[in-house]
Amino acid sequence: MSSRLIPAICAWGLTLGTTSLFFVFVCPALIDFSLLYTLAIPIYEGILTLFVLLNFGLATFMDPGYYPRAHEDEVKDDDFRAPLYKPVEINGIAVRMKWCTTCQFYRPPRCSHCSVCNKCIETFDHHCPWVNNCIGRRNYRFFFLFLCSLCIHMISVFSFCLVYVLRHKEDLKTVGNIVALIDMIIIGLLVFPVSGLTGFHIVLVSRGRTTNEQVTGRFKGGHNPFTKGCCLNCKYALCGPVWPKLSSYVPKHRTLSLDALKVKYSSANKEIKLYSDASTNGVKRNTAVVNQNGTILTCRKLNE
Ligand SMILES: [Zn+2]
Ligand SMILES: [Zn+2]
């Protein structure tokens, strides 16, 4: 088992463990059928727990927005000739795009290469060891909602456990009291780091920044070209579109060079044979564009 999985297993274990103990030992004792409003406790906690686990699962298992690496048949000459940075202007502010030597392309402005995943991620926030996944454009919303709902869940479970202990304080050695105290100690230790992190992300969302941009001081002393104002930033983070997977993108056109009269072109799942025209004798390089079915769309002569 990879050591990378240990923090994520701990996080899932603590969340499921403390929540299960609460539902099995503490929650049933809080229900009093003569007081109907107490029935709201398991309903409220049940919905909250499902919301926490759903967002936790999506943050853990969702593709964060991985960019596929440049395809083998894309022109490789760029690697040697191209400058390390390319300036682009976004909303009137100059932003640099850096060449990724691993993925072989210029990283879009908010993209960064994760050293753990060894891939470029769109709107990279950070690599989170607790979910064993990168947090990027596609799963940031679920990570943020997970943090917010986890804070509410922790405070709720702590409060209900406290109520339970105060009601049964005459004998603290019962199983219910011990379980409630264990849950309160675990939550008491974790609630401050989790709520601090949630507060940090609320500030980031309202300012339209990523953790990576904040930590590296990307827009220090300058304007952030990606902010839309506090309200629109929050709306975009919570209700914006879910972006499609970039890794499933397959280029429709492939370009290749012909150095002989007959070449074979191998794509991912099929082999295509191409024959150049007899009049191309003496021509150093021809470029043919083929579609995925192997049909030649254009054939261009170069260096004649
Ligand atoms: Zn990269
Ligand atoms: Zn990563």
Side-chain angles (χ1 to χ4, degrees):
M1 190 183 71
S2 165
S3 60
R4 270 170 58 185
L5 290 174
I6 293 169
I9 290 169
C10 289
W12 275 99
L14 277 171
T15 310
L16 293 175
T18 50
T19 308
S20 308
L21 287 176
F22 169 78
F23 275 111
V24 173
F25 294 99
V26 180
C27 197
L30 294 171
I31 301 167
D32 181 348
F33 287 98
S34 63
L35 300 166
L36 274 180
Y37 70 87
T38 58
L39 285 174
I41 297 172
I43 297 169
Y44 160 77
E45 265 303 328
I47 293 169
L48 188 57
T49 303
L50 281 179
F51 190 74
V52 170
L53 295 179
L54 179 74
N55 284 300
F56 197 7
L58 285 167
T60 306
F61 299 110
M62 203 169 175
D63 177 331
Y66 291 131
Y67 271 103
R69 291 186 184 187
H71 198 270
E72 283 172 11
D73 54 16
E74 285 179 53
V75 181
K76 292 244 172 171
D77 297 353
D78 280 3
D79 199 9
F80 305 105
R81 287 191 221 136
L84 191 59
Y85 292 99
K86 248 185 196 178
V88 285
E89 201 183 276
I90 295 167
N91 294 332
I93 296 160
V95 181
R96 289 190 308 177
M97 297 202 302
K98 194 182 177 190
W99 175 259
C100 184
T101 47
T102 311
C103 305
Q104 300 280 305
F105 56 71
Y106 282 100
R107 290 176 200 147
R110 303 191 94 178
C111 167
S112 197
H113 191 92
C114 173
S115 55
V116 182
C117 305
N118 201 23
K119 283 174 184 167
C120 271
I121 288 107
E122 175 55 35
T123 317
F124 175 74
D125 192 87
H126 68 290
H127 182 91
C128 181
W130 302 108
V131 299
N132 187 37
N133 196 7
C134 258
I135 305 301
R137 185 181 211 172
R138 295 188 79 241
N139 64 348
Y140 182 79
R141 173 184 308 163
F142 306 112
F143 175 75
F144 179 67
L145 288 174
F146 163 63
L147 282 182
C148 296
S149 55
L150 184 64
C151 274
I152 300 167
H153 182 49
M154 287 169 99
I155 294 165
S156 306
V157 170
F158 188 93
S159 308
F160 289 131
C161 287
L162 186 64
V163 168
Y164 180 92
V165 172
L166 290 174
R167 275 192 195 166
H168 302 84
K169 61 177 181 288
E170 59 285 347
D171 183 12
L172 288 175
K173 285 177 186 160
T174 60
V175 178
N177 268 330
I178 292 167
V179 165
L181 286 168
I182 289 171
D183 263 13
M184 283 166 74
I185 292 167
I186 293 171
I187 294 169
L189 289 171
L190 296 174
V191 75
F192 291 106
V194 172
S195 53
L197 186 65
T198 309
F200 175 67
H201 278 277
I202 290 171
V203 173
L204 289 181
V205 165
S206 66
R207 298 173 79 181
R209 292 182 183 195
T210 65
T211 303
N212 186 43
E213 287 162 355
Q214 180 69 27
V215 170
T216 56
R218 189 77 54 86
F219 308 121
K220 229 177 192 173
H223 285 290
N224 173 6
F226 305 107
T227 184
K228 301 170 170 72
C230 181
C231 283
L232 278 178
N233 285 340
C234 297
K235 194 178 154 197
Y236 178 79
L238 296 172
C239 312
V242 175
W243 297 91
K245 267 188 189 178
L246 296 163
S247 51
S248 58
Y249 171 76
V250 178
K252 289 199 174 91
H253 296 77
R254 298 250 167 96
T255 305
L256 71 161
S257 300
L258 308 178
D259 288 320
L261 288 177
K262 191 170 85 176
V263 292
K264 274 183 194 171
Y265 169 69
S266 301
S267 71
N269 51 5
K270 58 176 88 74
E271 197 175 64
I272 300 158
K273 283 178 182 167
L274 292 178
Y275 298 89
S276 62
D277 196 273
S279 64
T280 58
N281 278 346
V283 173
K284 272 189 178 173
R285 275 172 76 204
N286 285 345
T287 302
V289 178
V290 293
N291 71 6
Q292 281 178 293
N293 304 322
T295 316
I296 300 171
L297 301 173
T298 57
C299 191
R300 197 152 45 94
K301 290 179 187 178
L302 295 173
N303 305 336
E304 222 165 352

